[in-house]
Amino acid sequence: MSAPDPLDPLNPPAVRRGSPMRPLPRLIFASRWLQLPLYLGLIIAQGVYVVHFLVELLHLVEAAFGNQTALEALVNSIGYKPDVPVTSLNETVIMLVVLALIDVVMISNLLIMVIVGGYETFVSRMDLDGHRDQPEWLSHVNASVLKVKLGLSIIGISSIHLLKTFINADNYTDRVLIAQTAIHIAFLLSAIAIAYTDKLMSSTPNGKSH
């Protein structure tokens, strides 16, 4: 029987499986585990954000019940500097605090996306197929999808920061307002460029995906 033709797509040669890797490729491949401490560090950072969120939420609840110390802590944390001292929780303070909490949540989502998606993409599979708690986006994540999702998350975070700045615009100079707006537009254009580049790379000339 003749040997299979390597150029024949209907009769490809058998692929050797389970062959041991040479030392250098094995070392290079194992170097991906050097990223593990980085992801563990991000998990710790996630915990810090959770503590910060709970502290801010506790201050908000206490301020709603008239606690002046908690109210002062909130006003200082959001950088709100009104013309008259704030003696009670008002709509502006509540809005700025809620936006700050949303900001923490969005950054936390970004961390989860980087930790889980990055580990799954660059370090090792997590074998979550069929798991009832598997995130929907993780089922089709790859480096390109992760970049687009991270870009969109950064735009969302930037939008929250920009909204907080405009609500508290009296405490910022025009230069700061213009700079933050320009940075937000730069993030937006970058995300569009990344998404468009990914679309070009994942499509054939006939418009079909690989």
Side-chain angles (χ1 to χ4, degrees), residues 7-176:
L7 300 180
D8 184 3
L10 300 178
N11 188 25
V15 179
R16 292 186 301 171
R17 298 182 181 274
S19 57
M21 296 176 63
R22 291 174 296 170
L24 183 57
R26 185 187 301 118
L27 175 63
I28 294 174
F29 184 61
S31 66
R32 71 193 190 280
W33 289 103
L34 291 175
Q35 296 188 50
L36 182 60
L38 306 181
Y39 293 117
L40 294 177
L42 289 180
I43 293 174
I44 296 174
Q46 176 94 327
V48 173
Y49 262 107
V50 171
V51 173
H52 176 71
F53 180 92
L54 294 177
V55 170
E56 291 294 305
L57 182 61
L58 178 61
H59 286 164
L60 179 61
V61 173
E62 290 177 341
F65 286 96
N67 189 315
Q68 291 298 315
T69 303
L71 180 60
E72 291 177 4
L74 283 179
V75 172
N76 292 331
S77 66
I78 61 179
Y80 184 51
K81 299 177 182 178
D83 296 332
V84 295
V86 179
T87 57
S88 62
L89 202 60
N90 57 44
E91 183 180 0
T92 302
V93 174
I94 295 175
M95 189 180 303
L96 289 172
V97 173
V98 170
L99 287 175
L101 295 178
I102 294 174
D103 187 31
V104 172
V105 172
M106 295 188 71
I107 294 177
S108 180
N109 291 340
L110 179 62
L111 283 172
I112 286 294
M113 201 174 299
V114 172
I115 294 169
V116 179
Y119 182 89
E120 174 84 10
T121 303
F122 300 109
V123 179
S124 179
R125 291 190 176 276
M126 303 179 70
D127 296 328
L128 294 177
D129 293 337
H131 196 284
R132 64 178 183 177
D133 292 331
Q134 179 186 7
E136 185 275 333
W137 57 269
L138 191 59
S139 61
H140 53 270
V141 71
N142 54 45
S144 297
V145 173
L146 193 60
K147 284 189 296 184
V148 174
K149 288 186 177 294
L150 291 179
L152 294 176
S153 297
I154 292 174
I155 290 174
I157 294 170
S158 176
S159 300
I160 296 297
H161 275 274
L162 192 60
L163 182 57
K164 287 169 57 180
T165 300
F166 280 120
I167 292 175
N168 199 17
D170 292 339
N171 295 319
Y172 296 95
T173 63
D174 292 342
R175 182 177 179 181
V176 172

